Amino acid sequence: MKFLASGKVKDIYDLDDGTLLFLFSDRVSAYDVKFKEEIPKKGEILCKFAEFWFNELDIPNHFVRTESKTGIIVKKMNMLPIECVVRGYFYGSLVGRWKNGEVNLPENSNAELAAKLPEPIFDPTTKSTHDAAVDKNRAVELNLVTNEEFDWLSKTSIQIYKKMVSIADSVGFILADLKLEFGKLNGKIILGDSIGPDEYRLWPKDSYSIGK
């Protein structure tokens, strides 16, 4: 087993058989900042969520099995250099970018903070130290993906978001937004990385209100 990298919240090891070990930690990061304080049991929670979503979503992914309370085994693949963000609510960085005229909202959108959008939007970013929003033209220009790949990622990411929205709603939560990552394995694009609380905003329905 060879250590490969230590990310914001997980450590990655190469198992030399075409798979990787993701070890989820209790580390905390936000807005590209790593905090000194940790959250006890966070790694176990991230591991459980990753296992749940990879098993629940009806789409090819790189998940192989759960290895421990904080670790999963995944297939090694070539990750696409783009983060596939889906936004269902007027919140987060979308607000400031809209105010600056950098992004358009769907027709008939309510521009109050935390308002639900008429339809979820695909709002991808680059995959770097400081992520930057990109539209289709820019993503293709930067050679992040091809035209066809961008369209596929947009359609598939929104489909996944809607599926997760339905599941979250059934247990009393609102899935405000979501970040997904994909990679290529044997020439095909499949879902990768991990899916959990660090990749989305989840709000309790009983305390949800707009304008706050």
Side-chain angles (χ1 to χ4, degrees):
M1 183 169 66
K2 178 183 177 182
F3 173 75
L4 291 181
S6 180
K8 295 176 182 177
V9 295
K10 66 178 180 290
D11 301 321
I12 303 174
Y13 295 83
D14 190 334
L15 300 183
D16 298 321
D17 62 354
T19 64
L20 301 173
L21 169 64
F22 283 179
L23 278 183
F24 298 97
S25 73
D26 295 339
R27 296 192 295 269
V28 181
S29 70
Y31 302 105
D32 300 322
V33 176
K34 292 182 181 179
F35 297 97
K36 293 182 180 179
E37 298 82 6
E38 295 187 345
I39 298 178
K41 302 283 187 179
K42 180 186 176 186
E44 293 183 25
I45 292 170
L46 294 178
C47 187
K48 281 290 187 182
F49 268 107
E51 177 186 36
F52 173 80
W53 288 119
F54 281 130
N55 285 328
E56 192 73 23
L57 297 172
D58 186 22
I59 180 174
N61 60 67
H62 72 163
F63 178 74
V64 177
R65 67 178 184 274
T66 299
E67 184 71 1
S68 66
K69 288 184 178 180
T70 59
I72 61 173
I73 304 295
V74 301
K75 298 171 187 174
K76 190 188 301 184
M77 59 183 183
N78 296 317
M79 299 301 293
L80 296 176
I82 187 170
E83 295 192 341
C84 297
V85 179
V86 180
R87 302 186 185 279
Y89 289 75
F90 186 60
Y91 203 79
S93 65
L94 180 64
V95 177
R97 288 166 47 227
W98 173 77
K99 289 181 179 178
N100 292 333
E102 299 171 12
V103 63
N104 295 319
L105 298 181
E107 188 175 353
N108 299 322
S109 292
N110 181 350
E112 290 185 83
L113 187 64
K116 184 177 181 180
L117 298 172
E119 284 292 329
I121 60 173
F122 185 58
D123 189 33
T125 71
T126 58
K127 197 173 175 182
S128 57
T129 303
H130 301 289
D131 302 332
V134 289
D135 59 13
K136 181 177 180 179
N137 290 337
R138 185 60 174 159
V140 173
E141 179 184 320
L142 292 173
N143 293 316
L144 303 181
V145 290
T146 65
N147 272 291
E148 293 75 17
E149 288 170 344
F150 187 96
D151 290 341
W152 186 91
L153 290 171
S154 175
K155 177 182 177 181
T156 304
S157 296
I158 290 175
Q159 287 177 342
I160 292 172
Y161 173 77
K162 289 182 176 180
K163 171 71 172 180
M164 292 176 63
V165 163
S166 176
I167 294 172
D169 180 73
S170 70
V171 291
F173 288 91
I174 292 170
L175 185 65
D177 50 32
L178 169 68
K179 177 184 73 69
L180 300 168
E181 294 192 36
F182 295 83
K184 285 187 176 181
L185 181 64
N186 299 324
K188 294 184 178 181
I189 300 177
I190 64 174
L191 182 62
D193 196 48
S194 61
I195 307 175
D198 283 339
E199 284 75 45
Y200 51 68
R201 288 186 178 94
L202 202 62
W203 300 334
K205 285 198 298 184
D206 59 9
S207 60
Y208 167 71
S209 64
I210 64 175
K212 297 182 179 180

